[in-house]
């Protein structure tokens, strides 16, 4: 079920239905907190926040990901996005 919930978010993300994507990714985190999909859901939420211009929220979400899931591919991608945010917003 956690995997299906995540992929519902991915489908909405690709279709640029950002509100539905964010809701689906948040559902992964709240309904399935021990799921291996949680780091990826956090990453996508951070990306969505960045795209919406919510830079402080994006930084917080991505930093949380890096701290909670170090060494994961999602954490590496989060660090890259954090660096990009730092360049863009100073």
């Amino acid at each position: 079920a956690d995997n299906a919930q995540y992929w519902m978010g991915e489908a909405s993300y690709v279709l640029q239905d950002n509100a539905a994507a964010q809701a689906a990714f948040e559902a992964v985190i709240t309904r399935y907190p021990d799921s291996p999909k949680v780091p990826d859901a956090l990453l996508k939420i951070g990306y969505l926040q960045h795209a919406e211009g919510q830079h402080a929220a994006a930084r917080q979400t991505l930093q949380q990901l890096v701290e909670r899931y170090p060494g994961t591919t999602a954490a590496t991608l989060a660090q890259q996005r954090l660096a990009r945010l730092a360049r863009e917003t100073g």
Side-chain angles (χ1 to χ4, degrees):
D2 59 331
N3 197 41
Q5 183 67 53
Y6 175 82
W7 285 104
M8 287 173 52
E10 275 292 330
S12 295
Y13 184 81
V14 169
L15 294 172
Q16 297 181 352
D17 185 350
N18 292 351
Q22 185 154 344
F25 292 133
E26 287 173 355
V28 171
I29 295 164
T30 58
R31 292 183 193 161
Y32 311 101
D34 297 324
S35 169
K37 288 294 188 187
V38 169
D40 297 316
L42 282 168
L43 180 67
K44 290 299 173 81
I45 290 170
Y47 284 179
L48 288 164
Q49 291 167 328
H50 181 211
E52 295 290 325
Q54 300 170 1
H55 298 135
R59 268 192 286 281
Q60 182 179 3
T61 299
L62 296 169
Q63 191 60 47
Q64 177 187 20
L65 166 56
V66 170
E67 291 169 6
R68 286 178 54 193
Y69 302 98
T72 63
T73 300
T76 300
L77 293 169
Q79 289 172 320
Q80 292 171 0
R81 185 59 61 105
L82 285 165
R84 179 175 163 190
L85 274 165
R87 288 190 306 272
E88 290 176 1
T89 61

